């Protein structure tokens, strides 16, 4: 079993939205992967599935350049989740 803190798909999706909401410009695929895979508990295939789900549900969109950008729907849902989880995610992201 992986030693990281983030394991299930909901947590991975929230982390992806959290990252997308805080970057100054859309992220290329490798940038999104690098920032999201910061936790040893995240499996690449689970990450890829979650990223695809977020695009399919219109929480993220792909730009013409192939980068990931958060949508208004993704930003709204991210803000709702953050109210109780921001300090936990901040700790996880700055743990390393």
């Amino acid at each position: 079993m992986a030693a990281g803190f983030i394991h299930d798909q909901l947590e991975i999706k929230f982390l992806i939205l959290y990252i997308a909401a805080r970057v100054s410009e859309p992220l290329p695929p490798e940038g999104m992967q690098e920032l999201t895979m910061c936790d040893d508990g995240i499996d690449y295939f689970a990450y890829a599935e979650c990223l695809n789900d977020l695009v399919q549900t219109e929480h993220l969109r792909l730009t013409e350049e192939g980068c990931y950008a958060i949508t208004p729907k993704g930003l709204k849902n991210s803000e709702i989740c953050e109210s109780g989880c921001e300090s936990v995610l901040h700790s996880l992201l700055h743990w390393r």
Side-chain angles (χ1 to χ4, degrees):
M1 179 173 221
F5 295 100
I6 298 172
H7 297 285
D8 70 38
Q9 288 195 343
L10 186 59
E11 292 170 339
I12 296 169
K13 288 177 182 179
F14 179 63
L15 178 59
I16 292 169
L17 290 177
Y18 183 87
I19 292 166
R22 280 162 178 70
V23 294
S24 60
E25 58 188 44
L27 285 170
E30 59 276 0
M32 181 64 81
Q33 179 182 344
E34 181 179 340
L35 290 172
T36 305
M37 303 286 288
C38 67
D39 186 274
D40 291 335
I42 300 175
D43 172 74
Y44 172 78
F45 296 105
Y47 155 76
E49 184 177 344
C50 290
L51 187 62
N52 184 56
D53 287 349
L54 289 169
V55 172
Q56 295 299 315
T57 58
E58 300 179 352
H59 287 84
L60 295 176
R61 68 176 178 83
L62 275 171
T63 67
E64 290 181 14
E65 296 81 21
C67 295
Y68 292 97
I70 197 162
T71 64
K73 178 180 179 180
L75 190 58
K76 177 183 173 189
N77 287 333
S78 176
E79 289 171 351
I80 290 168
C81 293
E82 283 176 37
S83 62
C85 299
E86 188 166 336
S87 63
V88 173
L89 277 174
H90 180 73
S91 297
L92 288 175
L93 292 174
H94 298 324
W95 176 62
R96 292 184 176 225

